């Protein structure tokens, strides 16, 4: 049985500026990402990688072309509509974690539920859901810790729990290991692999070819076009997977 499309992009263009100084950040990109895929997006500075991810993340709109997220055409949605779609369908993981200081891990994870108009949950139900998400990433005993009381790897786990809280159709990870030491980075990669095995759809931006080797598929951009799109196979390292559970 074929998987459904989570991302479908058709002849997407994104233009900045006007006249002679017009820049084609994206110049006719078409791609499809199916449910359950783990994809890395790569490319040098100026390749269009960030522009593509902003559009995929419903933070921007294309100048031309179509973008279907979970079979919904979001190409011409208003800013308010895009904000609602981001909260309901997308989970974000950032290089710098983007956690609220002086706020517990539990409260950080609960935050997206407060903006989800379709989640009619009591305060206690929100806490229970956040607790379950933290347990999923191995932080069930750190719920009351604030970010400054957690290591970088633990902060990123909180961010992953927050990304999962609304059960998104797509997880977007922007250089999720960029601020971490090697060991912590490996643990985060192993955790992402575990989520992938649960049929989560993950798109990860990375500049590191070694990290890209550990995903299922790599899409590389250059000059606003797809340079290559290749299947990698899944290169899961047993030691990393075991490290998440130790």
């Amino acid at each position: 049985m074929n998987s459904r499309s989570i991302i479908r992009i058709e002849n997407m263009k994104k233009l900045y500026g006007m006249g002679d100084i017009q820049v084609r950040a994206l110049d006719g990109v078409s791609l499809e990402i199916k449910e359950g895929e783990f994809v890395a997006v790569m490319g040098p500075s100026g390749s269009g990688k960030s522009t593509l991810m902003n559009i995929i993340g419903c933070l921007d709109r294309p100048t031309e072309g179509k973008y279907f997220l979970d079979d919904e055409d979001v190409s011409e949605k208003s800013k308010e509509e895009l904000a609602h779609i981001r909260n309901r369908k997308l989970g974000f993981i950032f290089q710098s974690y983007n956690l609220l200081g002086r706020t517990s891990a539990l409260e950080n994870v609960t935050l997206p539920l407060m903006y989800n108009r379709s989640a009619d949950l009591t305060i206690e139900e929100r806490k229970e859901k956040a607790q379950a998400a933290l347990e999923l990433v191995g932080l069930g005993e750190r719920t009351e810790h604030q970010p400054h009381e957690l290591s970088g790897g633990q902060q990123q786990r909180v961010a992953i729990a927050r990304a999962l809280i609304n059960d998104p159709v797509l997880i977007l990870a922007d250089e999720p290991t960029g601020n971490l030491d090697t060991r912590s980075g490996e643990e985060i990669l192993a955790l992402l692999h575990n989520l992938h095995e649960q049929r989560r759809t993950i798109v990860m931006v990375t500049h590191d070819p070694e990290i890209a080797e550990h995903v299922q598929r790599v899409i590389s951009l250059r000059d606003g076009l797809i340079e290559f799109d290749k299947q990698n196979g899944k290169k899961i390292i047993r030691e990393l997977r075991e490290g998440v559970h130790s």
Side-chain angles (χ1 to χ4, degrees):
M1 186 175 182
N2 292 332
S3 298
R4 65 193 176 103
S5 293
I6 297 299
I7 293 172
R8 190 169 85 252
I9 289 172
E10 300 174 355
N11 195 32
M12 181 181 288
K13 298 181 181 180
K14 182 65 179 180
L15 311 180
Y16 294 103
M18 299 189 62
D20 294 338
I21 58 172
Q22 190 174 79
V23 175
R24 293 177 174 266
L26 295 175
D27 197 12
V29 169
S30 296
L31 64 89
E32 184 175 23
I33 295 174
K34 297 283 193 177
E35 182 180 30
E37 284 196 275
F38 189 178
V39 180
V41 175
M42 303 185 69
S45 178
S47 64
K49 174 184 64 197
S50 296
T51 299
L52 177 63
M53 294 305 293
N54 283 340
I55 292 174
I56 288 176
C58 294
L59 296 166
D60 200 357
R61 290 173 292 192
T63 305
E64 297 180 28
K66 294 290 186 180
Y67 171 33
F68 296 86
L69 173 64
D70 194 27
D71 290 329
E72 179 181 6
D73 186 355
V74 300
S75 311
E76 298 180 5
K77 297 286 188 183
S78 68
K79 289 183 178 180
E80 183 179 9
E81 289 170 327
L82 289 176
H84 180 53
I85 290 167
R86 283 197 303 272
N87 184 261
R88 183 166 47 92
K89 292 195 173 186
L90 301 175
F92 292 90
I93 305 168
F94 301 98
Q95 178 177 344
S96 56
Y97 324 132
N98 286 14
L99 302 178
L100 295 179
R102 300 185 180 279
T103 305
S104 71
L106 190 74
E107 291 168 325
N108 268 286
V109 174
T110 304
L111 193 61
L113 291 172
M114 298 172 61
Y115 298 98
N116 188 346
R117 292 177 290 183
S118 61
D120 186 16
L121 302 175
T122 66
I123 293 176
E124 192 58 37
E125 287 171 334
R126 290 174 187 170
K127 288 182 178 179
E128 289 176 2
K129 194 168 183 180
Q131 175 74 41
L134 284 166
E135 289 174 357
L136 181 66
V137 300
L139 287 180
E141 303 301 317
R142 296 286 190 272
T143 58
E144 297 306 317
H145 286 63
Q146 296 181 6
H148 70 272
E149 298 172 313
L150 301 171
S151 68
Q154 289 172 333
Q155 290 184 63
Q156 193 60 293
R157 287 174 184 245
V158 174
I160 292 172
R162 181 184 58 194
L164 296 172
I165 195 68
N166 276 326
D167 194 27
V169 299
L170 175 64
I171 296 171
L172 291 174
D174 187 2
E175 300 280 7
T177 63
N179 283 352
L180 302 177
D181 58 46
T182 301
R183 172 67 177 176
S184 297
E186 289 172 347
E187 291 176 348
I188 293 302
L189 275 178
L191 180 53
L192 291 175
H193 275 303
N194 286 343
L195 293 173
H196 176 222
E197 289 189 342
Q198 298 168 23
R199 296 287 295 166
R200 296 281 185 177
T201 309
I202 304 171
V203 176
M204 176 175 67
V205 173
T206 182
H207 70 280
D208 189 337
E210 291 187 10
I211 290 177
E213 287 180 2
H214 295 284
V215 306
Q216 186 181 32
R217 176 182 171 194
V218 178
I219 298 172
S220 179
L221 297 179
R222 185 175 293 274
D223 298 329
L225 295 166
I226 294 178
E227 182 181 30
F228 63 79
D229 182 345
K230 68 175 184 178
Q231 293 292 329
N232 243 1
K234 276 198 301 184
K235 220 174 178 183
I236 299 176
I237 299 177
R238 185 183 303 275
E239 290 80 4
L240 302 190
R241 289 167 49 77
E242 290 176 349
V244 171
H245 301 290
S246 63

